[in-house]
Amino acid sequence: MDGNFWTAGQLAAALRAGDVTSAELTDEAIARIERDDDAINAICVPDFDRARAAARGADLARARGEDRPLLGIPVTVKESYDIAGLPTTWGMPPHRNFLPAEDAVQVSRLKSAGAVVLGKTNVPQGLQDVQTFNEIYGTTNNPWDHRRTSGGSSGGSAAALASGFGALSIGSDLAGSLRTPAHFCGIYAHKPTLGLAAMRGMVPPPGPALPAEHDLAVVGPMARTARDLTLLLEVMAGPDPLTFGVAHDVTLPPARHERLSDFRVLVLDDHPLLPTGSAVRAGVGRVADALVDSGARVERDSPLLPDLAEAAVLYTQLLFSGSVARFPVEAYEQLQARAAGLSVDDQGLDAARLRGMVLSHRDWIEANGLRELHRHGWRRLFAEFDAVVCPITPTPAFPHDHNPDLLRRRIDIDGVGYPYFDQLVWAGLATMPGLPATAVPAGRSPEGLPVGVQLIGPMFEDRTPLRLAELLEQEIGGFQAPKQAVSSR
């Protein structure tokens, strides 16, 4: 059989029925990677020997009567997660030989659930780009068009899934790093509610794997179908056993609705600070039309929606406040001088990035207070709506751009250039208040590139956008393998 594009649910059923072994699935996945990954460069650290051993162990466990959620299913892991015995570099050359001593908590959970880890997937340097390339492992290409990016920073995982390299992957998201690669590669991803899934062992090298809390950042699942996201999130969810896990378990509430006709959805495709490209606007429209046709209540505006411009500026300041923590003192003082020269009337995103880089603790506390007001606004909105549908970025995947000065890069939106980092405003809509957001395929652009949208849900009600994603998958379709991947089967 060729199970490379089967869903995790289908593989689990076949394994339980005895139609296939984990050893067979793993050998097929490895053969496909060895045959096709030279053109994609998604798997930067293969771990095939240990994968085969894990697959044999999974088959023996099943023969003993065991049945765990991911038993025998081949998966990949973003390079930024610690795996004992494999390098964790975050794409940073000074750390190319760093070997962590233990697995990240999420890797441990994968293995405990029975997953077979094929290897690690590529990332941008320091996880700080909307593309995936670094000096150690090179560039990951989009499986739909090798001249274009797969997204970042979980671009290797998204490209691996779209190429049939494993059924599931785990990534992380601070600035859309799960959702943007999913959108660019035509797969599914879920950014969980902030704090829902433990992050220990997803730390820049050579830092110790401590159970520290992270502002904005989360870890989450990636898959080729919405139902698989829920399967993997159930494995990942829960506090760190070294902190809240000592006293707490997680029980997520059920989805608010089981039928598409019962959902109340706010649909957005306009942002006050950045236009939405025609291809993405069309994708949002496809989802909106499917909702209307299914009888869902759909609105295009609401006075309850928090101010999008204020939210984008606030998110930008919070995001960039942690980006220069390790800068040399001289460079930091130069940034302070530049920020001091800004006009008080300059409230654009460029100014927000600069102010964020030198945010004082006093200013951060003020910004955090404003964030709490936005969270309260979202709670009020979700008393009237069940989900918000909106873009992830304003365009489909764009051509590779390796200009080392990220602030000089431009993003082309229907022929007009805009500052590169402005494209993060839609991702920040869910990230800043810590809301869950599910990325789903929503068709293709006129050039044949995938287009995705995100479904934002209420805090800690992750099952609601996930269920909406499953229902939309039934209505408008879901993952389709790129022609290059299909032709190489």
Side-chain angles (χ1 to χ4, degrees):
M1 63 172 287
D2 182 352
N4 287 308
F5 283 96
W6 285 27
T7 69
Q10 290 171 326
L11 293 177
L15 286 163
R16 290 187 184 108
D19 295 334
V20 68
T21 66
S22 178
E24 290 170 336
L25 292 176
T26 301
D27 282 340
E28 284 184 356
I30 291 171
R32 185 172 187 90
I33 293 168
E34 292 178 334
R35 183 177 69 237
D36 295 345
D37 196 38
D38 282 349
I40 304 298
N41 194 33
I43 310 298
C44 61
V45 185
D47 197 20
F48 296 158
D49 288 343
R50 291 200 297 186
R52 288 190 169 103
R56 291 192 296 271
D59 289 332
L60 290 173
R62 192 170 294 280
R64 294 193 298 268
E66 295 185 28
D67 187 12
R68 288 171 269 159
L70 304 179
L71 186 59
I73 296 175
V75 306
T76 60
V77 171
K78 188 175 181 177
E79 198 271 356
S80 50
Y81 286 88
D82 286 349
I83 298 182
L86 298 182
T88 297
T89 71
W90 286 43
M92 297 186 288
H95 305 298
R96 66 173 67 239
N97 296 318
F98 176 70
L99 294 175
E102 60 182 2
D103 290 344
V105 64
Q106 293 299 343
V107 174
S108 295
R109 287 176 179 176
L110 279 179
K111 292 179 178 179
S112 294
V116 174
V117 178
L118 297 167
K120 291 181 141 194
T121 59
N122 202 17
V123 296
Q125 181 170 318
L127 312 191
Q128 293 185 329
D129 203 347
V130 190
Q131 304 175 70
T132 292
F133 66 95
N134 61 74
E135 189 177 312
I136 302 173
Y137 299 121
T139 300
T140 298
N141 297 318
N142 191 304
W144 290 83
D145 182 344
H146 297 172
R147 300 166 298 178
R148 296 175 183 266
T149 179
S150 61
S153 62
S154 306
S157 288
L161 286 166
S163 301
F165 306 159
L168 301 167
S169 193
I170 56 173
S172 61
D173 194 311
L174 172 67
S177 289
L178 283 160
R179 293 162 286 162
T180 298
H183 158 46
F184 285 176
C185 293
I187 63 155
Y188 290 81
H190 181 70
K191 185 199 90 64
T193 297
L194 181 67
L196 177 61
M199 292 187 65
R200 177 164 48 90
M202 228 286 300
V203 60
L210 302 176
E213 295 185 17
H214 297 268
D215 188 39
L216 301 175
V218 300
V219 295
M222 307 179 80
R224 287 190 293 269
T225 182
R227 189 175 295 273
D228 282 355
L229 289 180
T230 301
L231 173 68
L232 185 49
L233 181 64
E234 289 174 352
V235 171
M236 299 181 72
D240 194 307
L242 299 184
T243 56
F244 291 108
V246 173
H248 298 282
D249 291 322
V250 165
T251 302
L252 292 175
R256 290 187 176 187
H257 308 292
E258 288 298 320
R259 298 184 306 174
L260 209 53
S261 59
D262 293 332
F263 275 85
R264 305 163 298 167
V265 182
L266 178 62
V267 175
L268 307 174
D269 61 9
D270 281 320
H271 197 284
L273 300 183
L274 191 71
T276 301
S278 56
V280 171
R281 191 182 298 275
V284 175
R286 288 187 202 100
V287 172
D289 290 345
L291 289 166
V292 170
D293 291 345
S294 299
R297 173 191 152 196
V298 176
E299 302 289 343
R300 288 282 188 167
D301 192 19
S302 171
L304 297 173
L305 182 68
D307 184 276
L308 296 185
E310 183 178 71
V313 170
L314 179 57
Y315 166 67
T316 300
Q317 289 180 325
L318 291 169
L319 174 66
F320 279 82
S321 68
S323 66
V324 297
R326 295 177 178 83
F327 270 33
V329 173
E330 298 80 5
Y332 184 73
E333 289 175 344
Q334 291 175 5
L335 291 171
Q336 285 180 311
R338 287 174 53 199
L342 291 171
S343 167
V344 293
D345 297 326
D346 188 349
Q347 296 299 313
L349 293 175
D350 278 338
R353 282 186 279 272
L354 184 53
R355 290 190 179 105
M357 290 180 192
V358 297
L359 211 62
S360 69
H361 185 59
R362 175 190 175 97
D363 291 338
W364 190 93
I365 293 294
E366 182 179 352
N368 189 51
L370 183 55
R371 169 166 47 186
E372 291 300 334
L373 290 175
H374 274 257
R375 282 178 173 152
H376 182 63
W378 282 104
R379 283 191 287 269
R380 293 177 59 211
L381 182 137
F382 282 123
E384 298 293 328
F385 294 94
D386 303 307
V388 173
V389 174
C390 64
I392 296 168
T393 73
T395 70
F398 51 85
H400 297 294
D401 181 356
H402 295 182
N403 186 334
D405 187 346
L406 278 68
L407 297 180
R408 291 189 179 275
R409 295 185 196 166
R410 308 290 282 178
I411 182 72
D412 183 297
I413 304 176
D414 290 345
V416 179
Y418 294 85
Y420 184 71
F421 281 120
D422 284 10
Q423 65 184 299
L424 302 183
V425 294
W426 283 115
L429 191 62
T431 300
M432 186 270 289
L435 300 172
T438 306
V440 302
R444 281 179 279 179
S445 73
E447 297 78 23
L449 297 169
V451 172
V453 303
Q454 61 180 332
L455 317 175
I456 301 176
M459 184 171 283
F460 288 109
E461 293 190 49
D462 293 62
R463 293 187 186 277
T464 292
L466 285 166
R467 178 57 179 161
L468 180 57
E470 288 184 33
L471 295 170
L472 285 169
E473 186 176 10
Q474 297 169 14
E475 290 295 318
I476 64 175
F479 169 77
Q480 294 180 347
K483 289 182 180 179
Q484 299 94 321
V486 173
S487 63
S488 65
R489 291 186 194 181

